[in-house]
Amino acid sequence: MRLRSRALLAVTAGVLALSFVNLSSASAAPGYVRMDRALLHIDIADPKAGQCYSGLGEGTEITNFTTGTILLFPDKNCTARVFEPLDAGESRTANVGSFLPLD
């Protein structure tokens, strides 16, 4: 009986630990990211950390109104080896093929 209750406790603890990992990986950066290019204007509210978002390409003015840092990529799938960090509250004009929120 004692061994069975310890095993049940270990399994329960493992399930709880995994559920907290899933919650933290799906977290969103509060706020929004604004992109402007010519007549196109896009706001992405509460972008999820680790999720790649499409940009508007060359000449995009992007502003990070979240509480975290985002990475700007020139390609469409956040995989280029060249990227630029954009901290909370910062804005710049760049070639934004995609962006990735870090936190």
Side-chain angles (χ1 to χ4, degrees):
M1 183 66 140
R2 184 178 259 173
L3 183 59
R4 185 179 288 172
S5 63
R6 284 186 183 175
L8 181 60
L9 182 62
V11 169
T12 304
V15 170
L16 284 174
L18 288 175
S19 69
F20 286 122
V21 168
N22 288 338
L23 285 175
S24 64
S25 65
S27 67
Y32 62 98
V33 174
R34 173 171 286 162
M35 292 185 288
D36 291 298
R37 182 172 172 229
L39 299 175
L40 194 54
H41 168 84
I42 296 175
D43 285 340
I44 298 176
D46 301 327
K48 292 181 182 169
Q51 180 176 332
C52 185
Y53 292 87
S54 293
L56 300 177
E58 187 70 41
T60 299
E61 182 180 342
I62 186 165
T63 306
N64 181 2
F65 290 109
T66 71
T67 58
T69 300
I70 62 174
L71 300 179
L72 309 179
F73 292 87
D75 66 322
K76 287 287 185 189
N77 54 5
C78 300
T79 59
R81 290 185 176 201
V82 177
F83 56 85
E84 297 178 60
L86 190 66
D87 292 327
E90 288 187 336
S91 179
R92 83 172 47 116
T93 301
N95 178 12
V96 183
S98 57
F99 73 90
L100 180 75
L102 295 180
D103 43 14

